[in-house]
Amino acid sequence: SQTIHQWPATLVQPVGSPLSLECTVEGTSNPNLYWYRQAAGRGLQLLFYSVGIGQISSEVPQNLSASRPQDRQFILSSKKLLLSDSGFYLCAWSGLAANTGELFFGEGSRLTVL
Amino acid sequence: AQSVAQPEDQVNVAEGNPLTVKCTYSVSGNPYLFWYVQYPNRGLQFLLKYITGDNLVKGSYGFEAEFNKSQTSFHLKKPSALVSDSALYFCAVKAGNTGKLIFGQGTTLQVKP
């Protein structure tokens, strides 16, 4: 069966420090991968998605970047964090063949920028 | 552009009563619609989806949703609510061919004993 892992689960970082959140998927190949941010426990904003290695689409201009160095690895990064980067970050995957299909989410990474 | 709206920030029901969480959508073409549930500090869990076919879709944990094309709605329902159903519920619509989903703002369901 497929599983998705995110780490770290929680992170407290000072303003101006770098960030790296990692997401890996097991049990499937060539998934679509997504990074969402959830602010204040409400709506989800799509940040990035990837349909293959090295292929990243950005949905909103921001202080963050994403990379996909391997088929089942998706990384969210920042060189210098802002206070506004605080939030709950969710990684998700979907199968390419099932373009009607649902997304499967990881357990999230909570980032607090102080 | 595709979008979904959840008009209620919070829904309160008594345990054992039926519940409805509302969702309306705006899409071009045939809609692919989804419901998710989120418990505090957890990821989203898939409940059910509508792609085509029967307008009444059954999903996990006894939930179902009714697709209504004329009203562009996809309301989530359950005949008898449980306290453990208390959580944040999201409606979503598929956008484009990359599989990405556009989510509503979420509705908090509070089931009281």
Side-chain angles (χ1 to χ4, degrees), chain A residues 8 12 19 26 47 49 58 66 68 70 78 84 89 94 108 114:
Chain A
V12 180
L19 171 73
E26 297 177 357
L47 302 177
Y49 69 93
S58 175
R68 184 169 177 175
Q70 300 181 47
S78 174
S84 58
Y89 289 83
S94 68
L114 301 175

Side-chain angles (χ1 to χ4, degrees), chain A residues 7-38:
Chain A
W7 70 94
T10 59
L11 194 60
V12 180
Q13 292 286 96
V15 169
S17 64
L19 171 73
S20 180
L21 300 179
E22 295 196 32
C23 171
T24 59
V25 180
E26 297 177 357
T28 188
S29 59
N30 204 20
N32 284 355
L33 296 171
Y34 309 84
W35 278 111
Y36 282 85
R37 177 169 57 200
Q38 185 178 27

Side-chain angles (χ1 to χ4, degrees), chain A residues 7-93:
Chain A
W7 70 94
T10 59
L11 194 60
V12 180
Q13 292 286 96
V15 169
S17 64
L19 171 73
S20 180
L21 300 179
E22 295 196 32
C23 171
T24 59
V25 180
E26 297 177 357
T28 188
S29 59
N30 204 20
N32 284 355
L33 296 171
Y34 309 84
W35 278 111
Y36 282 85
R37 177 169 57 200
Q38 185 178 27
R42 298 302 297 197
L44 286 86
Q45 180 184 37
L46 179 61
L47 302 177
F48 300 97
Y49 69 93
S50 172
V51 299
I53 295 174
Q55 300 178 61
I56 309 294
S57 295
S58 175
E59 290 292 295
V60 293
Q62 59 200 313
N63 185 44
L64 302 169
S65 62
S67 62
R68 184 169 177 175
Q70 300 181 47
D71 180 46
R72 289 169 289 177
Q73 184 184 26
F74 205 23
I75 298 172
L76 185 69
S77 303
S78 174
K79 292 182 179 178
K80 290 185 177 181
L81 284 168
L82 306 173
L83 287 174
S84 58
D85 292 325
S86 293
F88 193 47
Y89 289 83
L90 291 157
C91 181
W93 73 273

